Amino acid sequence: MSGAGQPLWRRRSRAAELLRWLGWLLLVLLFVVCWTLMTQEQIWEFVWDAPTQAADLFSRMVPPRWSYMDSLWLPLWDTLNIATLGTLLALLIAVPVAFLAARNTTPSLLLVRPVALFIIVASRSVNALIWALLLVTILGPGLLAGVIAIALRSVGFIGKLLYEAIEEIDTRQVEAVRATGAGPAQVLDYGIVPQILPAFAGIAVFRWDINIRESTVLGLVGAGGIGLQLKASVDVLAWPQVTLIFIVILATVIASEWLSARVRRALI
Amino acid sequence: MPPTVSPTTAGSLRLVGLTKRYRTGDQALSDVTLEVPPGQVLGLIGPSGAGKSTLIRCINRLVEPSAGRVFLDETEITALHAGGLRRARRRMGMIFQEYALVERLTVMENVLSGRLGYVSFWRSLFRRFPPRDIENAFRLLERVGLTEHADKRADALSGGQRQRVGIARALAQEPELLLVDEPTASLDPKTSRQIMRLIREVCAERGLAAIVNIHDVALAQQFMMRIVGLRAGRVVYDGPPEGLTPAVLTEIYGEEDWGPLKPAQTDEEADDAAGIPDDQDIARAL
């Protein structure tokens, strides 16, 4: 069939095909090399022993110590407050930062926008746990450090998603509002805000959901919440309490996930 | 000396040597000089990229002209600074291609947004418009036949209905001039005619001048008092709709077989072309 002048179609040329195979081969080799390097200091006796160890730990973890729940309610409430207040504080900072960072709303592309972008990147590059570690040193242990840690981490997340939403708005709607003789603040209120409101609500709820999860571990470094109890229980090898804390965290995360999904669906 | 314009009539527009070159190097307008007397409805035709949209946007300075001057009555719009420009924009209602309504706001909010140049930020933020504006907005919605849709969101309406909201928004400004950019670009032929007729009628009712960009030559011939043909940013035709002969169309758009060009092709169109629409026509248009 190729002889009769029928054009022979091939997605890639023979050379390209060969190159692709070579690429895959190199990738597999790389994996093998890395694996050997990673495991050369592994003491394999411990690994072979792992199932026994795990079974042993598990046997000490069950049944959970349900009576410990009485002393978990308050830390749990603290955890929820850290997440919620932290998200609110983050929104207060992130909304203006997003407007300063978005190409189409920033007052100055050369001066203001880079500063706003830097705030966003700086906030995003540090994990909430590390923010908490720093803040516990500065502010002392407690809820306040947790709230601020969550807020600092969330500013970048909310700011980035929000400024991207602002940059994607329909410019004709903005133009139409400007054409009526509206001032800049009115253009913002009528032309831009209605367009980003659904994205804004979605982002806020999504971040709150993430912050619930993050705030459960902040106590590990002393920033308040249920993580404090977790660390205390692990330190004294009170495994049945640890199990209960895991269950409580899991239940909280599931509940917050369900709630945020409901809210997001209602907004769209 | 300022130009002699009769002081009793408002809304006369004068463009002098209007030129626009975009930063990309595209020469959108070259030395356009044009005068639109009060009450005249002028159709701007020309191929895509001829500068029709740029011309309209240079008038209210959504696009900054590179050179040339724009006068609305005695006001030199091209000489105004931010505050003065905003006040001048109130006098020019704009109607857009694809409507450009704020989709997530209600019909009423969209119409009232035509008053933004007149009310303070705080009033507009809390949607506390003066009662006179609200009354007027209801009258306009009645005029364009959308009274019962006032509280619907703009994105719940059909294309023709949305453009009626766009017209009501422009009229809410109580303008002296309408700038109309491809008002029927995404509408079917029947709805297009209804919208064009509505624009003609409101212009006649209020003595408004209008500049209307149109893609569709037949539509321009049917509804416009005067036609200006633009090609590559220059005026190549300025005259009555009847003057659009195949030779002129070739001058504007380039070589093509233009076929029969008489606007009255069908009975319905012949009716429409015959003159002033009667009450029944208006009722149908609404």
Side-chain angles (χ1 to χ4, degrees):
Chain A
M1 74 176 190
S2 62
Q6 193 110 34
L8 199 67
W9 183 84
R10 220 190 264 271
R11 171 125 190 270
R12 295 186 185 83
S13 70
R14 196 168 286 275
E17 197 98 337
L18 223 63
L19 214 64
R20 278 171 65 85
W21 279 113
L22 204 69
W24 281 108
L25 191 69
L26 283 175
L27 200 66
V28 172
L29 277 177
L30 188 71
F31 179 77
V32 172
V33 171
C34 289
W35 181 261
T36 356
L37 280 176
M38 270 158 51
T39 53
Q40 67 189 357
E41 280 178 29
Q42 179 73 45
I43 301 165
W44 289 102
E45 283 68 31
F46 284 2
V47 177
W48 305 140
D49 195 28
T52 337
Q53 293 293 337
D56 181 41
L57 184 60
F58 185 72
S59 74
R60 273 179 284 158
M61 283 180 84
V62 287
R65 197 178 144 221
W66 297 107
S67 62
Y68 187 55
M69 197 62 218
D70 288 339
S71 45
L72 281 185
W73 289 116
L74 191 65
L76 183 62
W77 176 239
D78 285 348
T79 300
L80 295 177
N81 281 333
I82 290 174
T84 310
L85 292 176
T87 311
L88 287 177
L89 184 61
L91 286 173
L92 278 180
I93 306 168
V95 169
V97 169
F99 277 103
L100 298 179
R103 217 169 263 285
N104 47 355
T105 53
T106 184
S108 158
L109 274 175
L110 282 176
L111 292 173
V112 180
R113 185 164 191 264
V115 175
L117 288 180
F118 178 77
I119 293 173
I120 289 172
V121 172
S123 150
R124 275 162 54 79
S125 58
V126 182
N127 191 288
L129 204 60
I130 297 168
W131 280 123
L133 207 63
L134 295 174
L135 287 163
V136 166
T137 322
I138 299 167
L139 295 168
L143 291 186
L144 186 63
V147 170
I148 298 177
I150 288 287
L152 286 179
R153 173 69 179 83
S154 307
V155 164
F157 181 93
I158 297 171
K160 183 179 166 65
L161 291 180
L162 195 60
Y163 97 73
E164 283 173 351
I166 296 171
E167 286 185 348
E168 277 168 22
I169 57 170
D170 176 8
T171 53
R172 291 170 314 163
Q173 298 181 31
V174 181
E175 202 180 34
V177 177
R178 277 174 65 209
T180 64
Q186 291 173 322
V187 172
L188 198 72
D189 179 23
Y190 278 73
I192 299 174
V193 169
Q195 293 196 59
I196 59 165
L197 217 49
F200 172 77
I203 294 164
V205 174
F206 184 32
R207 188 63 221 187
W208 175 77
D209 178 32
I210 295 173
N211 284 345
I212 295 265
R213 273 171 273 163
E214 296 224 320
S215 60
T216 56
V217 293
L218 288 184
L220 291 179
V221 295
I226 203 167
L228 222 53
Q229 258 60 28
L230 181 63
K231 186 168 158 44
S233 301
V234 172
D235 283 351
V236 299
L237 305 179
W239 297 111
Q241 294 182 18
V242 172
T243 315
L244 183 68
I245 293 170
F246 283 168
I247 292 172
V248 168
I249 291 177
L250 185 69
T252 314
V253 170
I254 290 173
S256 79
E257 193 129 349
W258 175 81
L259 193 67
S260 64
R262 285 288 300 257
V263 172
R264 249 177 294 166
R265 217 174 317 142
L267 287 169
I268 293 166
Chain B
M1 278 298 284
T4 47
V5 179
S6 131
T8 49
T9 53
S12 107
L13 179 74
R14 220 155 54 85
L15 314 179
V16 183
L18 201 63
T19 298
K20 175 65 186 177
R21 175 188 279 278
Y22 284 105
R23 254 179 297 177
T24 52
D26 293 326
Q27 183 83 31
L29 292 175
S30 309
D31 194 24
V32 173
T33 296
L34 206 63
E35 195 157 342
V36 187
Q40 186 177 69
V41 179
L42 179 150
L44 202 57
I45 64 171
S48 308
K52 303 192 296 291
S53 280
T54 304
L55 178 67
I56 277 202
R57 282 171 170 73
C58 279
I59 294 171
N60 62 3
R61 283 174 59 195
L62 287 177
V63 169
E64 273 312 320
S66 319
R69 305 202 285 174
V70 176
F71 295 91
L72 181 60
D73 295 332
E74 246 110 303
T75 315
E76 183 179 351
I77 291 170
T78 36
L80 297 173
H81 294 291
L85 176 61
R86 283 203 294 275
R87 278 190 293 280
R89 278 178 179 160
R90 304 189 304 202
R91 299 165 61 192
M92 300 179 278
M94 196 160 180
I95 296 168
F96 292 83
Q97 184 175 3
E98 317 246 348
Y99 337 119
L101 301 179
V102 181
E103 299 281 326
R104 294 182 60 87
L105 294 185
T106 63
V107 167
M108 195 58 175
E109 283 173 295
N110 269 288
V111 176
L112 284 170
S113 73
R115 300 304 296 169
L116 285 178
Y118 296 90
V119 302
S120 74
F121 169 70
W122 294 106
R123 258 182 182 275
S124 66
L125 180 68
F126 296 110
R127 312 302 196 244
R128 307 288 295 181
F129 286 86
R132 198 194 76 92
D133 288 359
I134 294 169
E135 234 171 81
N136 193 38
F138 271 118
R139 257 202 304 278
L140 286 169
L141 281 178
E142 195 186 332
R143 175 64 187 86
V144 300
L146 291 174
T147 310
E148 69 274 29
H149 298 291
D151 289 321
K152 277 193 191 160
R153 246 168 60 168
D155 54 10
L157 302 184
S158 72
Q161 290 173 328
R162 286 191 212 191
Q163 195 55 291
R164 286 166 206 278
V165 178
I167 293 170
R169 172 174 64 186
L171 294 178
Q173 289 176 231
E174 287 166 5
E176 298 154 32
L177 174 74
L178 285 182
L179 303 172
V180 191
D181 190 17
E182 302 273 6
T184 61
S186 39
L187 300 175
D188 66 63
K190 183 177 159 77
T191 314
S192 294
R193 276 158 180 77
Q194 292 170 343
I195 290 292
M196 289 306 296
R197 191 176 298 117
L198 183 60
I199 290 173
R200 267 302 296 269
E201 285 167 11
V202 298
C203 283
E205 286 162 16
R206 286 148 206 259
L208 294 177
I211 296 191
V212 187
N213 282 351
I214 316 188
H215 234 71
D216 185 334
V217 175
L219 215 55
Q221 284 177 309
Q222 191 180 338
F223 289 102
M224 297 295 115
M225 300 173 176
R226 171 183 167 196
I227 302 281
V228 167
L230 221 53
R231 178 176 192 173
R234 289 178 190 282
V235 175
V236 293
Y237 175 82
D238 185 351
E242 304 81 50
L244 287 178
T245 59
V248 169
L249 287 174
T250 298
E251 169 78 16
I252 299 171
Y253 289 97
E255 198 63 56
E256 183 51 87
D257 173 15
W258 296 104
L261 269 166
K262 277 183 257 132
Q265 301 277 320
T266 65
D267 283 350
E268 200 197 339
E269 285 188 17
D271 249 348
D272 293 338
I276 312 113
D278 51 36
D279 284 347
Q280 228 184 349
D281 264 331
I282 296 170
R284 245 192 298 140
L286 299 179

